[in-house]
Coordinates of all heavy atoms in Angstrom, one line a residue:
K1 N 65.7 132.0 205.8 CA 66.2 131.7 204.4 C 66.1 132.9 203.5 O 65.0 133.5 203.5 CB 65.5 130.5 203.9 CG 66.3 129.6 203.0 CD 65.5 128.5 202.6 CE 66.5 127.4 202.1 NZ 65.8 126.2 201.6
G2 N 67.1 133.3 202.8 CA 67.1 134.5 201.9 C 66.3 134.3 200.7 O 66.2 133.2 200.1
K3 N 65.6 135.3 200.3 CA 64.7 135.3 199.2 C 65.6 135.5 197.9 O 66.4 136.4 197.9 CB 63.7 136.4 199.3 CG 62.7 136.5 198.1 CD 61.8 137.6 198.3 CE 61.1 137.9 197.0 NZ 60.5 139.2 196.8
T4 N 65.4 134.8 196.9 CA 66.1 134.9 195.6 C 65.4 136.1 194.9 O 64.2 136.1 194.7 CB 66.0 133.6 194.8 OG1 66.6 132.6 195.6 CG2 66.8 133.8 193.5
M5 N 66.2 137.0 194.3 CA 65.7 138.1 193.6 C 65.2 137.6 192.2 O 65.9 136.8 191.6 CB 66.7 139.2 193.4 CG 67.1 139.9 194.7 SD 68.4 141.1 194.5 CE 67.6 142.3 193.5
T6 N 64.1 138.2 191.8 CA 63.6 137.9 190.4 C 64.5 138.7 189.4 O 65.2 139.7 189.8 CB 62.2 138.4 190.2 OG1 62.1 139.8 190.3 CG2 61.3 137.7 191.2
T7 N 64.4 138.4 188.2 CA 65.1 139.1 187.1 C 64.7 140.6 187.2 O 65.6 141.5 187.1 CB 64.9 138.5 185.8 OG1 65.3 137.2 185.8 CG2 65.6 139.3 184.7
V8 N 63.5 140.9 187.3 CA 63.0 142.3 187.4 C 63.6 143.0 188.6 O 64.0 144.2 188.4 CB 61.4 142.3 187.4 CG1 61.0 143.8 187.6 CG2 60.9 141.8 186.1
E9 N 63.6 142.4 189.7 CA 64.2 143.0 190.9 C 65.7 143.3 190.7 O 66.2 144.4 191.1 CB 64.0 142.1 192.1 CG 62.5 142.1 192.6 CD 62.3 141.0 193.6 OE1 63.0 140.0 193.7 OE2 61.3 141.2 194.4
K10 N 66.4 142.4 190.0 CA 67.8 142.6 189.7 C 68.0 143.8 188.8 O 68.9 144.6 189.0 CB 68.4 141.4 189.1 CG 68.6 140.2 190.1 CD 69.1 139.0 189.4 CE 69.1 137.8 190.3 NZ 69.5 136.5 189.6
L11 N 67.1 143.9 187.8 CA 67.2 145.0 186.8 C 66.9 146.3 187.6 O 67.5 147.3 187.3 CB 66.2 144.8 185.7 CG 66.5 143.7 184.7 CD1 65.4 143.4 183.8 CD2 67.7 144.1 183.9
E12 N 65.9 146.3 188.5 CA 65.6 147.5 189.2 C 66.8 148.0 190.0 O 67.1 149.2 190.0 CB 64.4 147.3 190.2 CG 63.1 147.1 189.5 CD 62.0 146.7 190.4 OE1 62.2 146.4 191.6 OE2 60.8 146.6 190.0
V13 N 67.5 147.1 190.6 CA 68.7 147.5 191.4 C 69.8 148.1 190.4 O 70.4 149.1 190.7 CB 69.3 146.2 192.1 CG1 70.7 146.5 192.6 CG2 68.4 145.8 193.2
E14 N 70.0 147.5 189.3 CA 71.0 147.9 188.3 C 70.6 149.3 187.7 O 71.4 150.2 187.6 CB 71.2 146.9 187.2 CG 71.9 145.6 187.7 CD 73.2 145.9 188.4 OE1 74.0 146.7 187.9 OE2 73.4 145.3 189.5
V15 N 69.3 149.5 187.4 CA 68.8 150.7 186.9 C 69.0 151.9 187.9 O 69.4 153.0 187.5 CB 67.4 150.6 186.4 CG1 66.8 152.0 186.1 CG2 67.2 149.7 185.2
R16 N 68.8 151.6 189.1 CA 69.0 152.6 190.2 C 70.5 153.1 190.2 O 70.8 154.2 190.7 CB 68.6 152.1 191.5 CG 67.1 152.1 191.7 CD 66.7 151.6 193.1 NE 65.3 151.7 193.5 CZ 64.3 151.2 192.9 NH1 64.3 150.7 191.8 NH2 63.1 151.3 193.5
K17 N 71.4 152.3 189.8 CA 72.8 152.6 189.8 C 73.2 153.5 188.6 O 74.3 154.1 188.6 CB 73.7 151.4 189.8 CG 73.5 150.5 191.0 CD 74.4 149.2 190.8 CE 74.2 148.2 191.9 NZ 74.9 147.0 191.7
L18 N 72.4 153.7 187.6 CA 72.7 154.4 186.4 C 72.8 155.9 186.7 O 72.1 156.5 187.5 CB 71.7 154.2 185.3 CG 71.6 152.7 184.8 CD1 70.4 152.6 183.8 CD2 72.9 152.2 184.2
S19 N 73.7 156.6 185.9 CA 73.8 158.0 186.0 C 72.6 158.6 185.2 O 71.9 157.9 184.5 CB 75.1 158.5 185.3 OG 75.0 158.3 183.9
R20 N 72.4 159.9 185.3 CA 71.3 160.6 184.6 C 71.4 160.4 183.1 O 70.4 160.1 182.4 CB 71.3 162.1 184.9 CG 70.8 162.4 186.3 CD 70.7 163.9 186.5 NE 70.4 164.2 187.9 CZ 69.2 164.5 188.4 NH1 68.1 164.4 187.5 NH2 69.0 164.8 189.6
S21 N 72.6 160.5 182.6 CA 72.8 160.3 181.1 C 72.6 158.9 180.7 O 72.0 158.6 179.7 CB 74.2 160.8 180.7 OG 75.2 160.0 181.3
E22 N 73.0 157.9 181.6 CA 72.7 156.5 181.3 C 71.2 156.2 181.4 O 70.7 155.5 180.5 CB 73.5 155.6 182.3 CG 75.0 155.7 182.0 CD 75.7 155.0 183.1 OE1 75.3 155.1 184.3 OE2 76.7 154.3 182.8
I23 N 70.5 156.9 182.3 CA 69.0 156.7 182.4 C 68.4 157.2 181.1 O 67.5 156.6 180.6 CB 68.5 157.4 183.7 CG1 68.9 156.7 184.9 CG2 67.0 157.6 183.6 CD1 68.1 155.4 185.2
A24 N 68.8 158.4 180.7 CA 68.3 159.0 179.4 C 68.5 158.0 178.3 O 67.5 157.8 177.5 CB 68.9 160.3 179.1
A25 N 69.7 157.4 178.1 CA 69.9 156.5 177.0 C 69.1 155.2 177.2 O 68.5 154.7 176.2 CB 71.4 156.2 177.0
F26 N 69.0 154.8 178.4 CA 68.2 153.6 178.7 C 66.7 153.8 178.3 O 66.0 153.0 177.7 CB 68.3 153.1 180.1 CG 67.4 152.0 180.5 CD1 67.7 150.7 180.0 CD2 66.3 152.1 181.2 CE1 66.9 149.6 180.3 CE2 65.5 151.1 181.5 CZ 65.8 149.8 181.1
R27 N 66.2 155.0 178.7 CA 64.8 155.4 178.5 C 64.6 155.4 177.0 O 63.5 154.9 176.5 CB 64.5 156.8 179.1 CG 63.1 157.2 179.0 CD 62.8 158.5 179.6 NE 63.0 158.5 181.0 CZ 63.9 159.2 181.7 NH1 64.7 160.0 181.1 NH2 64.0 159.1 183.0
E28 N 65.5 156.0 176.2 CA 65.3 156.0 174.7 C 65.3 154.6 174.2 O 64.5 154.3 173.3 CB 66.4 156.8 174.1 CG 66.3 158.3 174.2 CD 67.4 159.1 173.6 OE1 67.9 158.6 172.5 OE2 67.9 160.1 174.1
W29 N 66.3 153.8 174.6 CA 66.3 152.4 174.1 C 65.0 151.7 174.5 O 64.5 151.0 173.6 CB 67.5 151.7 174.8 CG 67.4 150.2 174.4 CD1 67.9 149.6 173.3 CD2 66.8 149.2 175.2 NE1 67.6 148.2 173.4 CE2 67.0 148.0 174.5 CE3 66.2 149.2 176.5 CZ2 66.5 146.8 175.0 CZ3 65.8 148.0 177.0 CH2 65.9 146.8 176.3
F30 N 64.6 151.8 175.7 CA 63.4 151.0 176.1 C 62.2 151.5 175.4 O 61.3 150.7 175.0 CB 63.2 151.1 177.7 CG 62.1 150.2 178.1 CD1 62.4 148.8 178.3 CD2 60.8 150.6 178.3 CE1 61.4 148.0 178.6 CE2 59.8 149.8 178.7 CZ 60.1 148.4 178.9
H31 N 62.1 152.8 175.1 CA 60.9 153.3 174.4 C 60.9 152.7 173.0 O 59.8 152.2 172.5 CB 61.0 154.8 174.2 CG 59.9 155.4 173.4 ND1 58.6 155.5 173.9 CD2 59.9 155.9 172.2 CE1 57.8 156.0 172.9 NE2 58.6 156.3 171.9
R32 N 62.0 152.6 172.3 CA 62.1 152.0 171.0 C 61.8 150.5 171.1 O 61.0 149.9 170.3 CB 63.5 152.1 170.4 CG 63.8 153.5 169.8 CD 65.1 153.6 169.0 NE 66.2 153.0 169.6 CZ 67.0 153.6 170.5 NH1 66.8 154.8 170.8 NH2 68.0 152.9 171.0
Y33 N 62.3 149.8 172.1 CA 62.1 148.4 172.3 C 60.6 148.1 172.5 O 60.0 147.3 171.9 CB 62.9 147.9 173.5 CG 62.6 146.5 173.9 CD1 63.2 145.4 173.2 CD2 61.8 146.2 174.9 CE1 62.9 144.1 173.5 CE2 61.5 144.9 175.3 CZ 62.1 143.9 174.6 OH 61.8 142.6 174.9
D34 N 60.0 148.9 173.4 CA 58.6 148.7 173.8 C 57.7 149.0 172.6 O 56.8 148.3 172.3 CB 58.3 149.7 174.9 CG 56.9 149.3 175.6 OD1 56.6 148.1 175.8 OD2 56.2 150.3 175.9
S35 N 58.0 150.0 171.8 CA 57.3 150.3 170.6 C 57.3 149.2 169.6 O 56.3 148.8 169.0 CB 57.8 151.6 169.9 OG 57.5 152.7 170.7
D36 N 58.5 148.7 169.4 CA 58.7 147.5 168.5 C 57.9 146.3 168.9 O 57.3 145.6 168.1 CB 60.2 147.2 168.3 CG 61.0 148.2 167.6 OD1 60.4 149.1 166.9 OD2 62.2 148.2 167.6
E37 N 58.0 146.0 170.2 CA 57.2 144.9 170.8 C 55.7 145.1 170.6 O 55.0 144.2 170.2 CB 57.5 144.7 172.3 CG 58.9 144.2 172.6 CD 59.0 142.7 172.1 OE1 58.2 141.9 172.4 OE2 60.0 142.5 171.4
W38 N 55.2 146.3 170.8 CA 53.8 146.6 170.6 C 53.4 146.4 169.1 O 52.4 145.8 168.9 CB 53.5 148.1 171.0 CG 52.1 148.5 170.8 CD1 51.7 149.3 169.8 CD2 51.0 148.2 171.6 NE1 50.4 149.5 169.9 CE2 49.9 148.8 171.0 CE3 50.8 147.4 172.7 CZ2 48.6 148.7 171.5 CZ3 49.5 147.3 173.2 CH2 48.4 147.9 172.6
D39 N 54.3 146.9 168.2 CA 54.0 146.8 166.8 C 53.9 145.3 166.4 O 53.0 144.8 165.7 CB 55.1 147.5 166.0 CG 55.0 149.0 166.0 OD1 53.9 149.5 166.5 OD2 55.9 149.6 165.6
Q40 N 54.9 144.5 167.0 CA 54.9 143.1 166.7 C 53.6 142.4 167.2 O 53.1 141.5 166.5 CB 56.1 142.4 167.3 CG 56.3 141.0 166.9 CD 57.6 140.4 167.4 OE1 58.5 141.1 167.8 NE2 57.7 139.1 167.5
Q41 N 53.2 142.8 168.4 CA 52.0 142.2 168.9 C 50.8 142.5 168.1 O 49.9 141.6 167.8 CB 51.8 142.6 170.4 CG 50.6 142.0 171.1 CD 50.8 140.5 171.3 OE1 51.7 140.1 171.8 NE2 49.8 139.7 170.8
I42 N 50.7 143.7 167.7 CA 49.5 144.1 166.8 C 49.6 143.3 165.5 O 48.5 142.8 165.0 CB 49.6 145.6 166.5 CG1 49.3 146.4 167.8 CG2 48.6 146.0 165.4 CD1 47.9 146.3 168.3
E43 N 50.8 143.2 164.9 CA 50.9 142.4 163.7 C 50.5 141.0 163.9 O 49.7 140.4 163.0 CB 52.3 142.5 163.1 CG 52.6 143.9 162.6 CD 54.1 144.0 162.2 OE1 54.8 143.0 162.1 OE2 54.6 145.1 162.0
E44 N 50.9 140.4 165.0 CA 50.5 139.0 165.3 C 49.0 138.8 165.5 O 48.4 137.9 165.0 CB 51.3 138.5 166.5 CG 52.8 138.3 166.2 CD 53.5 138.0 167.5 OE1 52.9 137.7 168.6 OE2 54.8 138.0 167.5
D45 N 48.5 139.8 166.2 CA 47.0 139.8 166.4 C 46.2 139.9 165.1 O 45.2 139.3 164.9 CB 46.6 140.9 167.4 CG 47.0 140.6 168.8 OD1 47.5 139.4 169.1 OD2 46.9 141.5 169.7
A46 N 46.7 140.8 164.2 CA 46.1 141.0 163.0 C 46.1 139.7 162.1 O 45.1 139.3 161.5 CB 46.7 142.2 162.2
R47 N 47.3 139.1 162.1 CA 47.5 137.9 161.3 C 46.6 136.7 161.8 O 46.1 135.9 161.0 CB 49.0 137.5 161.2 CG 49.8 138.2 160.2 CD 51.1 137.5 160.0 NE 51.9 137.4 161.2 CZ 52.8 138.4 161.6 NH1 52.9 139.5 161.0 NH2 53.5 138.2 162.7
S48 N 46.5 136.7 163.1 CA 45.8 135.6 163.7 C 44.2 135.7 163.7 O 43.5 134.8 164.0 CB 46.2 135.4 165.2 OG 45.7 136.4 166.0
G49 N 43.8 136.9 163.3 CA 42.4 137.2 163.2 C 41.8 137.8 164.4 O 40.6 138.1 164.5
K50 N 42.6 138.1 165.5 CA 42.1 138.6 166.7 C 41.4 140.0 166.5 O 40.6 140.4 167.3 CB 43.2 138.7 167.8 CG 43.6 137.4 168.3 CD 44.6 137.6 169.4 CE 45.0 136.3 170.0 NZ 46.1 136.5 171.1
L51 N 41.8 140.7 165.5 CA 41.3 142.1 165.3 C 40.2 142.1 164.3 O 39.6 143.2 164.0 CB 42.4 143.0 164.8 CG 43.6 143.1 165.8 CD1 44.7 144.0 165.2 CD2 43.2 143.5 167.2
D52 N 39.8 141.0 163.7 CA 38.8 141.0 162.6 C 37.5 141.5 163.1 O 36.8 142.3 162.4 CB 38.6 139.6 162.1 CG 39.8 139.1 161.3 OD1 40.8 139.9 161.0 OD2 39.8 137.9 160.9
K53 N 37.0 141.1 164.3 CA 35.7 141.5 164.8 C 35.7 143.1 165.0 O 34.8 143.7 164.6 CB 35.4 140.8 166.1 CG 34.0 141.2 166.6 CD 33.7 140.5 167.9 CE 32.4 141.0 168.4 NZ 32.1 140.5 169.8
L54 N 36.8 143.6 165.5 CA 36.9 145.0 165.7 C 36.9 145.8 164.4 O 36.2 146.8 164.2 CB 38.2 145.4 166.5 CG 38.2 145.0 167.9 CD1 39.6 145.2 168.5 CD2 37.1 145.7 168.7
A55 N 37.6 145.3 163.4 CA 37.7 145.9 162.1 C 36.3 145.8 161.4 O 35.8 146.9 160.9 CB 38.7 145.2 161.2
D56 N 35.6 144.7 161.5 CA 34.3 144.6 161.0 C 33.3 145.6 161.6 O 32.5 146.2 161.0 CB 33.7 143.2 161.2 CG 34.5 142.2 160.3 OD1 35.2 142.6 159.3 OD2 34.3 141.0 160.6
E57 N 33.4 145.8 162.9 CA 32.5 146.7 163.7 C 32.8 148.1 163.2 O 31.9 148.9 163.1 CB 32.7 146.5 165.2 CG 32.2 145.3 165.7 CD 32.5 145.0 167.2 OE1 33.2 145.9 167.8 OE2 32.1 144.0 167.7
A58 N 34.1 148.5 163.1 CA 34.5 149.8 162.7 C 34.0 150.1 161.3 O 33.5 151.2 161.0 CB 36.0 150.0 162.7
L59 N 34.2 149.1 160.3 CA 33.7 149.4 159.0 C 32.2 149.5 158.9 O 31.6 150.3 158.2 CB 34.1 148.2 158.1 CG 35.6 148.2 157.8 CD1 36.0 146.9 157.0 CD2 36.0 149.4 156.9
A60 N 31.5 148.7 159.7 CA 30.0 148.8 159.8 C 29.6 150.1 160.3 O 28.6 150.7 159.8 CB 29.4 147.7 160.6
A61 N 30.2 150.6 161.3 CA 29.9 152.0 161.9 C 30.2 153.0 160.8 O 29.4 154.0 160.7 CB 30.8 152.2 163.1
H62 N 31.2 152.9 160.1 CA 31.5 153.9 159.0 C 30.4 153.9 157.9 O 29.9 154.9 157.5 CB 32.9 153.6 158.4 CG 33.3 154.6 157.4 ND1 33.5 155.9 157.7 CD2 33.4 154.5 156.0 CE1 33.8 156.6 156.5 NE2 33.7 155.7 155.5
V63 N 30.1 152.7 157.5 CA 29.1 152.5 156.5 C 27.7 153.1 156.9 O 27.0 153.7 156.2 CB 28.9 151.0 156.0 CG1 27.7 150.8 155.2 CG2 30.2 150.6 155.3
A64 N 27.4 152.9 158.2 CA 26.2 153.4 158.8 C 26.2 154.9 159.1 O 25.3 155.5 159.6 CB 25.9 152.7 160.1
G65 N 27.4 155.6 158.8 CA 27.5 157.0 159.0 C 27.7 157.4 160.5 O 27.5 158.6 160.8
R66 N 28.2 156.5 161.3 CA 28.5 156.8 162.7 C 30.0 157.2 163.0 O 30.4 157.1 164.1 CB 28.1 155.6 163.6 CG 26.6 155.3 163.5 CD 26.1 154.3 164.5 NE 27.0 153.1 164.6 CZ 26.7 152.0 164.0 NH1 25.7 151.8 163.3 NH2 27.5 150.9 164.2
T67 N 30.7 157.6 161.9 CA 32.1 158.0 162.1 C 32.3 159.4 161.7 O 31.4 160.0 161.0 CB 33.0 157.1 161.3 OG1 32.7 157.2 159.9 CG2 32.9 155.6 161.7
K68 N 33.4 160.0 162.1 CA 33.7 161.4 161.8 C 35.1 161.4 161.1 O 36.0 160.6 161.5 CB 33.8 162.3 163.0 CG 32.5 162.5 163.7 CD 32.6 163.4 164.9 CE 31.3 163.5 165.7 NZ 31.5 164.3 166.9
E69 N 35.3 162.3 160.2 CA 36.6 162.4 159.6 C 37.6 163.1 160.5 O 37.2 164.0 161.3 CB 36.5 163.3 158.3 CG 37.7 163.2 157.4 CD 37.5 163.9 156.1 OE1 36.4 163.8 155.6 OE2 38.4 164.5 155.6
L70 N 38.8 162.6 160.6 CA 39.8 163.1 161.5 C 40.4 164.4 160.9 O 40.6 164.5 159.8 CB 40.9 162.1 161.8 CG 40.4 160.9 162.6 CD1 41.5 159.9 162.8 CD2 39.8 161.3 163.9

């Protein structure tokens, strides 16, 4: 019985068919898309409180003098 391809496998097949210029355009698009997704995840984590402990630890380290100016 034949195996059904996953969406990712189908995308891989299609990406392999792209020309160099199409790959470059896809890479630029995906980089923007991935960056936007990352930003959205960070915002959601910040709103939900997932980053509060890390922020508190960073502020405590700064107050204790364990940080350096960039």
Side-chain angles (χ1 to χ4, degrees):
K1 214 176 198 184
K3 179 185 168 200
T4 303
M5 290 177 68
T6 66
T7 300
V8 171
E9 289 169 333
K10 290 175 187 175
L11 287 169
E12 288 173 355
V13 168
E14 294 304 313
V15 167
R16 282 180 172 54
K17 295 177 185 176
L18 299 175
S19 68
R20 287 183 189 263
S21 62
E22 290 170 324
I23 288 286
F26 177 74
R27 186 179 293 118
E28 285 181 36
W29 171 83
F30 189 79
H31 178 73
R32 285 191 311 274
Y33 174 81
D34 194 40
S35 293
D36 290 346
E37 286 294 311
W38 176 255
D39 290 346
Q40 184 176 345
Q41 184 65 55
I42 292 293
E43 288 174 16
E44 289 172 9
D45 288 350
R47 277 193 301 275
S48 72
K50 287 183 179 179
L51 303 178
D52 290 354
K53 182 179 176 190
L54 292 174
D56 291 343
E57 289 173 3
L59 289 172
H62 181 69
V63 169
R66 296 189 312 263
T67 60
K68 296 179 184 177
E69 192 171 325
L70 295 177

